[in-house]
Amino acid sequence: MPHFDPGAGPGPGPGAGPVRGRGAPQGHGQRGHGQQQPPHAQPAYTQPQEPSGPQGRAAGRRKSSPVPLIAAVVVGCAVLGLGAGWLMSGDDSKKQDKNQTVSSQSSPSAPGDDQAPADPAKLQAEELDKLLAESNNSRAAVISAVESIKTCQNLDKAVSDLQGAADQRRDLVTRLEEIKLDKLPQHGELSASLTKAWQASASADDHYATWAGEAKTKKGCKGGKARTTKAAQEGNHASGEATGAKQKASGLWNGIAAKYGLTERVPTEL
């Protein structure tokens, strides 16, 4: 009989025959000499083994987890959305620039943009023209008051109107001093003539008012006519001075008025 060594290694592989003697498994029948035991049947399905090593494990995780793929899809969609938004905004910007260009070309320029600066002499002439427009406001009242004195009628009203006219002429002189006329031609002569005319008119009004008061007395009027007193004579003299000054001022002013398209005035309108 063959000798069985317990310390020996494992028996022969699946293709070898069974070991006879004590090492044979129980329950198996004896086969004839020369026949081999059929190999063990392999299972139809086996569990795939995970590749060993770091690269193998990483590859396994990539295959098993869908998160990176989803993230990549989201990023891609975001990039596409930004690109589309940029294209749309670019179109809008071009449209807006085009609209602005058309608007700037079609809108008319503001009035006065291309106009030259105003002539300072013209501005001074316009200020003086406004003052001269008021110089004749009391003329009708003065004429009516003097006629009333001559006929000894409405003497109280005549005094009031004459005093008011004198105040108005003095106010014109004050306002004339506040206006700059240095850019106007012969402005010194013009200013002096107007000042003399209005001061003389105010003096005449004061004398005529005194004459009206004298006419109210018993000896002031005779036969429905006022006596000619010293006050009346002084009034006539001052009125003559005013007329001469107005004539000179009118000539100086009308040259300026014609140049700048303003109102020309005769002596009696000053």
Side-chain angles (χ1 to χ4, degrees):
M1 293 180 67
H3 177 70
F4 177 77
D5 188 358
V19 180
R20 299 179 183 273
R22 291 178 297 176
Q26 299 179 358
H28 290 273
Q30 299 294 330
R31 295 180 180 268
H33 293 286
Q35 295 183 353
Q36 296 180 350
Q37 186 177 0
H40 296 285
Q42 296 295 327
Y45 170 79
T46 58
Q47 178 71 25
Q49 299 296 324
E50 181 178 296
S52 61
Q55 296 180 351
R57 289 192 295 271
R61 285 194 297 271
R62 286 196 297 269
K63 292 180 180 180
S64 60
S65 177
V67 173
L69 179 58
I70 296 176
V73 173
V74 172
V75 172
C77 293
V79 171
L80 291 176
L82 290 175
W86 180 83
L87 290 175
M88 294 178 66
S89 62
D91 293 340
D92 292 340
S93 300
K94 292 180 181 178
K95 292 179 180 179
Q96 183 176 3
D97 295 340
K98 184 177 180 181
N99 292 335
Q100 291 178 352
T101 303
V102 173
S103 177
S104 62
Q105 292 177 354
S106 61
S107 60
S109 58
D113 289 348
D114 299 333
Q115 295 179 358
D119 184 356
K122 182 179 180 180
L123 295 177
Q124 293 182 358
E126 290 173 348
E127 288 297 318
L128 181 57
D129 182 60
K130 295 177 183 178
L131 186 63
L132 296 179
E134 302 178 19
S135 63
N136 196 33
N137 291 345
S138 59
R139 176 177 174 79
V142 170
I143 294 176
S144 177
V146 171
E147 292 299 323
S148 295
I149 295 171
K150 290 179 179 180
T151 59
C152 296
Q153 297 177 356
N154 300 322
L155 295 177
D156 290 337
K157 185 178 185 303
V159 171
S160 177
D161 289 345
L162 290 167
Q163 290 176 345
D167 292 341
Q168 191 256 346
R169 266 79 182 265
R170 293 188 180 98
D171 180 65
L172 290 174
V173 173
T174 300
R175 292 167 60 186
L176 177 63
E177 294 173 352
E178 298 173 352
I179 299 177
K180 294 186 64 176
L181 303 175
D182 58 313
K183 304 298 181 181
L184 298 179
Q186 298 178 293
H187 61 88
E189 295 182 31
L190 176 60
S191 179
S193 298
L194 289 172
T195 299
K196 182 178 180 179
W198 290 334
Q199 287 178 340
S201 293
S203 177
D205 295 338
D206 289 336
H207 290 306
Y208 288 143
T210 300
W211 182 32
E214 293 173 346
K216 292 173 63 177
T217 63
K218 291 182 180 181
K219 296 181 179 182
C221 288
K222 183 179 181 181
K225 293 183 180 181
R227 294 178 180 271
T228 301
T229 63
K230 183 179 180 179
Q233 294 174 351
E234 290 178 348
N236 292 336
H237 178 74
S239 180
E241 291 182 349
T243 299
K246 289 180 180 180
Q247 289 175 346
K248 185 176 182 178
S250 174
L252 294 172
W253 165 251
N254 287 340
I256 298 173
K259 180 179 180 179
Y260 296 111
L262 301 174
T263 305
E264 299 184 23
R265 290 178 172 85
V266 297
T268 55
E269 294 177 331
L270 296 177

